[in-house]
Amino acid sequence: MTNLFGGAAPFYAKYRPGYGEEAIGCLARAFGPGGRVLDLGCGPGTVAIPLAGAVREVIAVDPDAGMLAEGRRVADGAPNIRWLSGDSTTLAALPPFDGVVMGRSFHWMDRRAVLAELDQLLPPDGAVALIGPSRDPGEHEWEPVVREVRAEFAMNEFMAANSFQASGEHHDDVLADSPFDRLESSLFEKRLTWDLDAVIGLQLSYSYTTPDKLGDRVTEFTDAVRRVLLAANPSGVWEERAITEVLVARRS
């Protein structure tokens, strides 16, 4: 997988909301306390760190050195997390694992190829779990005006073959057509409050507007985002109802 998140790690860790205790608990039950779990595309440990206390070991893998460094910093020496450089094309070179979790990373991958390889690597009872927004989450209230700023800065998204962006095929449909076709879905709701700085910081956590991609235009971009956000919502505060889905897939 191409390194998509250069310079985004501190913004990702600070401004991407966690999934919540209930959703992480659901993952923990799926893998069991003896599980050795691969967190593929772990970012700064959004899943790996809270999950580590409930399983035997987490192998946290990401192609971005900044994400791994931020994860190590936030984990503060958690003994059962291994932070390794890698991606969805290096699965066979990783230490053994008996379960896999993927957050938003899965939508960047060649999903069918990844699932086919996981079928070769996982034990018969091994689970593939996805955690993230529900199937049709809609978009953030501020997205229409921020999208216009991205267009002005000509920030485009990368699309891998068979990724969600390229095909539009939902993850559960891809899983249902894979060896891991026995699906169990759980939904968890929470309320989020965003202030102006958080919404602006969130933009720098996205693959298409990372600090590395913006280069010397970071301040120009964030100033432009601030202007359009305040014009659309002078209070600078947004409330959101967020629903997280944990989708656990096993072989039939």
Side-chain angles (χ1 to χ4, degrees):
M1 186 193 299
T2 302
N3 182 358
L4 300 171
F5 289 92
F11 300 97
Y12 201 116
K14 184 173 182 179
Y15 296 112
R16 293 277 186 117
Y19 295 111
E21 292 183 5
E22 289 184 301
I24 295 298
C26 181
L27 282 178
R29 290 188 294 275
F31 295 124
R36 181 178 282 116
V37 182
L38 169 63
D39 182 359
L40 183 58
C42 64
T46 310
V47 173
I49 294 170
L51 181 62
V55 297
R56 179 181 176 185
E57 183 181 33
V58 177
I59 302 167
V61 171
D62 201 275
D64 186 84
M67 290 289 189
L68 295 172
E70 189 68 13
R72 290 189 188 98
R73 184 189 69 79
V74 176
D76 193 26
N80 65 331
I81 305 178
R82 277 193 272 181
W83 301 93
L84 300 177
S85 179
D87 61 28
S88 61
T89 68
T90 63
L91 292 171
L94 297 175
F97 49 88
D98 50 40
V100 181
V101 61
M102 291 171 278
R104 297 170 186 269
S105 61
F106 190 54
H107 64 226
W108 294 110
M109 301 176 190
D110 183 337
R111 296 171 294 173
R112 295 184 185 280
V114 169
L115 292 170
E117 187 167 7
L118 289 175
D119 186 35
Q120 302 299 311
L121 296 173
L122 283 170
D125 60 347
V128 175
L130 305 181
I131 183 169
S134 57
R135 180 173 178 131
D136 295 302
E139 63 182 14
H140 294 301
E141 183 181 343
W142 56 79
E143 178 61 19
V145 295
V146 176
R147 187 184 296 120
E148 294 178 2
V149 177
R150 286 202 301 269
E152 291 173 7
F153 281 72
M155 309 307 290
N156 298 316
E157 297 186 34
F158 167 82
M159 295 186 183
N162 288 316
S163 67
F164 175 74
Q165 287 84 351
S167 72
E169 189 175 14
H170 283 282
H171 294 338
D172 46 359
D173 297 328
V174 173
L175 284 165
D177 192 36
S178 82
F180 303 93
D181 60 354
R182 181 160 59 92
L183 308 182
E184 182 177 345
S185 173
S186 301
L187 300 176
F188 304 92
E189 180 180 339
K190 63 179 181 177
R191 305 293 301 187
L192 300 174
T193 300
W194 299 85
D195 64 19
L196 184 62
D197 288 340
V199 175
I200 294 171
L202 185 67
Q203 309 313 308
L204 298 179
S205 79
Y206 290 141
S207 60
Y208 35 79
T209 45
T210 64
D212 281 8
K213 286 187 174 69
L214 287 163
D216 60 5
R217 298 184 297 165
V218 170
T219 300
E220 182 185 357
F221 173 77
T222 56
D223 286 349
V225 171
R226 185 180 299 273
R227 285 194 298 271
V228 299
L229 288 174
L230 287 175
N233 179 6
S235 75
V237 176
W238 292 261
E239 301 288 339
E240 180 184 6
R241 173 177 172 264
I243 298 180
T244 293
E245 180 179 30
V246 175
L247 186 63
V248 178
R250 301 182 190 273
R251 300 178 182 93
S252 296

